[in-house]
Amino acid sequence: MTATPFESLVTIFGGSGFLGRHAVRALAKRGYRIRVAVRRPELANHLQPLGQVGQIHAVQANLRDAASVEAAARDADVVINLVGILFERGRQRFDAVHAFGAEAVALAASAFGARLIHVSAIGADERSSSLYARSKAKGERLALAASPSAVVVRPSILFGPEDDFFNRFASMACFSPAVPLIGGGHTRFQPVFAGDVAAAIVCAMEGRARAGEVYELGGPEVKSFKELMQFVLATIERRRLLIPIPFALGKLQASVLQWMPKPLLTPDQVELLRSDNVVSEQAGREGRTLAALGIDPLAMESVVPSYLWRFRKAGQFSRQMTEDR
Ligand SMILES: NC(=O)c1ccc[n+]([C@@H]2O[C@H](COP(=O)([O-])OP(=O)(O)OC[C@H]3O[C@@H](n4cnc5c(N)ncnc54)[C@H](OP(=O)(O)O)[C@@H]3O)[C@@H](O)[C@H]2O)c1
């Protein structure tokens, strides 16, 4: 990009979400003009304090409506797509959002000559038994076909104060006497700080990542699901039974839980647990990682306790914290 950040307009689809908050903060700090494109701009007001007056502007766009996507991308120098869903509801289908929605964003970016950064997920695979993983892979393929110079980033599970993973299991452990370990809890993850992924997005949009490549982003440690649950329980100072259950039973549970307004688990998420969610050796060898972008990722131990303390019985006044002082 030849223009200075101050002169550059970045349209960020899904900017009101969890990763969006970190990405908008990183962009605002560097002085970019930011257009946040979401279905409900009135729910993006929390982003305003991250920038100067007038620096961040929210507009209405739905990835399932190509005209609204095009309007939101108009005149942008960079387009970032962070839109993703964890379960299907109504017209929010995986294919419509992750695959054809991603294509609509890439076509719009290409039409306006904007650089595209597309956020996918580790595990994206058109042969996966999970619809989520298949739709993410299809989205990568369609996005790169429409915008061949795009950079794709695939994070492992994200952590940060508003994350869905650690907060969800810590909350579950507060009211449930046991935490199920689907498939024995052997699935491996490489949790990565949302702020580090936001930094990688900034690197990519400023031309410090290779165009047309897929980067795999993971944190400094690989942990099994069981180890992650042990970490959560130790952090919130609660003892709970960790009960290994076979995938088939997990799927049965998920077939009921999926009907909750915000499901704790869906059968498709059980399918995702069949594969490890870690940076591949090939990505490491080919320099498609955080390290290759010059980013030294934060460990979950240095961030997660700073927001999970609220799930302790005595909150911030817990024994461990007072003893630490
Ligand atoms: N969180 C993780 O652990 C994780 C791990 C790997 C990959 N990822 C990927 O990282 C990206 C960001 O994830 P996140 O955790 O920040 O998700 P999130 O908090 O759920 O945010 C999703 C965003 O997408 C918007 N959105 C949803 N449907 C839309 C549609 N049809 N049209 C336009 N906008 C729509 C939402 O805003 P409105 O609902 O207001 O429109 C929201 O701003 C996603 O692509 C996700 O798959 C996340």
Side-chain angles (χ1 to χ4, degrees), residues 13-21 36-41 43-44 61-65 68-69 81-86 91-92 96-98 118-122 132 136 153-159 162-165 192 197 277:
F13 290 92
S16 65
F18 164 46
L19 178 57
R21 182 193 298 251
V36 176
V38 280
R39 286 175 302 164
R40 289 160 295 177
L43 299 185
N62 188 331
L63 256 57
R64 294 180 280 107
D65 172 14
S68 72
V69 170
N81 181 12
L82 300 181
V83 175
I85 54 175
L86 280 173
R91 278 174 287 176
Q92 286 279 90
V97 176
H98 292 162
H118 174 73
V119 177
S120 180
I122 284 187
Y132 172 92
K136 278 289 194 185
V153 301
R154 288 179 174 180
S156 182
I157 48 164
L158 300 170
F159 62 83
E162 316 81 13
D163 71 43
D164 199 45
F165 186 87
V192 59
V197 174
N277 197 286

Side-chain angles (χ1 to χ4, degrees), residues 168-216:
R168 183 202 304 217
F169 286 104
S171 158
M172 185 201 271
C174 287
F175 61 80
S176 164
V179 178
L181 301 176
I182 295 167
H186 302 302
T187 315
R188 295 183 314 139
F189 293 89
Q190 200 169 344
V192 59
F193 178 48
D196 289 329
V197 174
I201 290 171
V202 171
C203 277
M205 57 178 267
E206 292 182 346
R208 283 176 276 143
R210 298 196 300 271
E213 295 275 2
V214 179
Y215 283 71
E216 298 186 16

